[in-house]
Amino acid sequence: MDTFKRIGFSVGDTVKLLWLHRSSETEINPKELHDIYENLFPGRDIAYDYVARIAKKLEHDGYLQMTQVQHKKYYSITTSGKEYLQRYEELYYNKFVEILKVIDRIYYYLTKDGQKPVPPEYPLQQEFRTYFSKLISVKDMTRFMIFNLGSNRTEFYAAEVNEQLNELFGWSPSNGYLYEITREMEAEGTIRGRWKEPEKRTVRLIQVTDEGEVFAKQIASNLREQVINIRKYLRSFVDFLIK
């Protein structure tokens, strides 16, 4: 799935927001905006003409105003544009920042790259959890932690998976989904489960199998790729949303 779509922006949305944000700081021409876009999002090339068309559309809608200096067009934001930008920022900025905190912790845990993030002080807010699940595979995150616990422990409780995810990252799936994943993994043969007290069937113990140890490497690799890509784009958005 295209990373921009997963974040919730089309390329057009991204260029529009960039126009509004940068023109609120200074007059800017399409060439300058095009260069800024390509610096922020390397590998996501867009045509200069497309950037210019977005500016004309924003001007037509009353969000930008144009002045011409020696055959160059410069755009600055209007009052309506500032109000529109504020709505954009209120909608996305807090969401991106809070989710990025979780992703930064996951990134560091997977790569040990950079400065260690601050441990979570609170879990990711409920209003952001659905959005988080659109960016990162909840199943891969959960399976990763199951395999991670299994690499250090002979057996562990299913509930410890969520405890670890919350303690390390400030996020975990619902208990219902956790148990759905463990049942699926048992059926696949990557983990083995048993009831601590078979007659009560209340506490489930998990053990990672040899097949699971092999599969764990693939899950870690998949998750690492997801996190690196999503983190890069979220950071780019947050960078130009910060004033």
Side-chain angles (χ1 to χ4, degrees), residues 106-125:
I106 299 169
Y107 173 81
Y108 182 81
Y109 194 86
L110 290 169
T111 68
K112 297 299 185 288
D113 179 44
Q115 185 175 354
K116 186 176 182 179
V118 176
E121 297 178 5
Y122 48 82
L124 184 65
Q125 295 96 315

Side-chain angles (χ1 to χ4, degrees), residues 94-95 98-99 124-132:
N94 288 337
K95 180 189 295 186
E98 290 301 312
I99 290 174
L124 184 65
Q125 295 96 315
Q126 188 63 41
E127 62 185 300
F128 300 148
R129 291 171 66 86
T130 299
Y131 189 73
F132 178 86

Side-chain angles (χ1 to χ4, degrees), residues 18-239:
L18 192 56
W19 262 119
L20 292 169
H21 185 74
R22 290 306 166 102
S23 67
S24 70
E25 300 171 339
T26 185
E27 286 191 332
I28 189 167
N29 65 48
K31 176 63 170 62
E32 292 168 336
L33 199 286
H34 180 263
D35 291 345
I36 290 170
Y37 177 94
E38 294 204 328
N39 286 332
L40 282 172
F41 306 109
R44 296 291 311 193
D45 297 339
I46 55 171
Y48 163 82
D49 288 346
Y50 183 72
V51 172
R53 286 200 306 273
I54 295 288
K56 288 180 180 178
K57 178 67 167 58
L58 289 169
E59 181 188 8
H60 178 268
D61 293 340
Y63 299 136
L64 295 181
Q65 59 188 10
M66 187 270 290
T67 57
Q68 191 158 329
V69 180
Q70 295 181 348
H71 308 294
K72 281 189 176 181
K73 294 181 178 180
Y74 288 84
Y75 292 89
S76 58
I77 199 167
T78 64
T79 300
S80 295
K82 290 178 182 178
E83 293 171 354
Y84 192 39
L85 175 60
Q86 184 177 359
R87 290 197 297 271
Y88 251 125
E89 290 178 336
E90 289 173 353
L91 179 62
Y92 287 102
Y93 179 73
N94 288 337
K95 180 189 295 186
F96 286 171
V97 167
E98 290 301 312
I99 290 174
L100 187 55
K101 290 177 184 177
V102 176
I103 291 177
D104 276 345
R105 296 181 194 117
I106 299 169
Y107 173 81
Y108 182 81
Y109 194 86
L110 290 169
T111 68
K112 297 299 185 288
D113 179 44
Q115 185 175 354
K116 186 176 182 179
V118 176
E121 297 178 5
Y122 48 82
L124 184 65
Q125 295 96 315
Q126 188 63 41
E127 62 185 300
F128 300 148
R129 291 171 66 86
T130 299
Y131 189 73
F132 178 86
S133 68
K134 294 179 179 179
L135 301 178
I136 301 295
S137 168
V138 173
K139 179 180 286 189
D140 281 353
M141 274 298 307
T142 307
R143 292 190 294 190
F144 170 78
M145 186 52 64
I146 289 171
F147 292 138
N148 189 66
L149 281 170
S151 69
N152 300 306
R153 307 263 293 278
T154 302
E155 284 187 318
F156 52 93
Y157 301 123
E160 291 181 86
V161 176
N162 275 1
E163 289 173 5
Q164 284 288 298
L165 286 167
N166 279 316
E167 181 180 332
L168 291 170
F169 311 126
W171 169 90
S172 68
S174 67
N175 287 332
Y177 192 53
L178 166 64
Y179 288 106
E180 180 182 327
I181 291 173
T182 57
R183 287 194 295 271
E184 182 181 308
M185 292 175 71
E186 281 194 59
E188 294 170 345
T190 53
I191 63 172
R192 186 181 301 114
R194 71 177 181 88
W195 296 108
K196 185 178 181 181
E197 299 178 90
E199 67 282 1
K200 293 183 179 180
R201 298 172 68 86
T202 54
V203 178
R204 191 76 168 163
L205 287 165
I206 293 172
Q207 182 180 26
V208 175
T209 65
D210 291 341
E211 292 83 353
E213 290 178 2
V214 174
F215 189 45
K217 296 176 182 178
Q218 179 184 331
I219 291 298
S221 177
N222 290 346
L223 184 61
R224 186 176 186 275
E225 183 178 357
Q226 289 179 53
V227 169
I228 288 172
N229 288 335
I230 292 297
R231 180 177 180 266
K232 178 177 67 175
Y233 285 101
L234 280 179
R235 278 198 166 278
S236 295
F237 278 110
V238 168
D239 284 347

